């Protein structure tokens, strides 16, 4: 499957880090770009797929496809134009397993 032509969105893949608040000394979560401006394809779910995901209580609203990168996990988040997507995980392509990854995503602020 050739996905290059469909990767028209740019997303940031972020990972959670803990930082210390300079005022209170409290350790608080923060998000930092692991990869910035990654070419991606964002596909909102069809009505049927959305209804099915709601019945499963998953809240999956979109699929995001990117070129293969190792080490990505569902504890990360994807940001596109200020919208935060929470990947349920990153699924490898069916053919080689190393051409692209697809992430079924819900919306919202991922606390890691």
């Amino acid at each position: 499957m050739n996905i290059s032509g469909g990767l028209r969105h740019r997303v940031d893949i972020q990972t959670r880090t803990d930082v210390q608040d300079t005022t209170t000394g409290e350790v608080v979560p923060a998000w930092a770009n692991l990869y910035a401006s990654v070419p991606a394809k964002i596909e909102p779910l069809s009505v049927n797929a959305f209804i099915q995901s709601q019945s499963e209580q998953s809240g999956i609203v979109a699929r995001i496809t990117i070129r293969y990168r190792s080490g990505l996990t569902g504890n990360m988040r994807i940001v596109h134009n200020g919208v935060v997507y929470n990947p349920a995980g990153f699924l490898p392509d069916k053919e080689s397993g190393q051409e692209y990854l697809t992430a079924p995503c819900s919306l919202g602020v991922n606390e890691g």
Side-chain angles (χ1 to χ4, degrees), residues 65-85:
T65 303
I66 61 171
R67 287 186 184 93
Y68 181 84
R69 292 171 189 261
S70 64
L72 300 182
T73 70
N75 292 334
M76 297 173 176
R77 70 183 192 178
I78 300 171
V79 180
H80 174 67
N81 290 341
V83 177
V84 176
Y85 293 94

Side-chain angles (χ1 to χ4, degrees), residues 36-88:
S37 195
V38 174
K41 178 179 182 181
I42 301 174
E43 297 176 275
L45 291 185
S46 67
V47 172
N48 289 339
F50 181 76
I51 290 170
Q52 182 179 3
S53 74
Q54 288 298 97
S55 68
E56 296 169 3
Q57 300 298 315
S58 66
I60 302 297
V61 298
R63 278 186 298 267
I64 298 178
T65 303
I66 61 171
R67 287 186 184 93
Y68 181 84
R69 292 171 189 261
S70 64
L72 300 182
T73 70
N75 292 334
M76 297 173 176
R77 70 183 192 178
I78 300 171
V79 180
H80 174 67
N81 290 341
V83 177
V84 176
Y85 293 94
N86 301 319

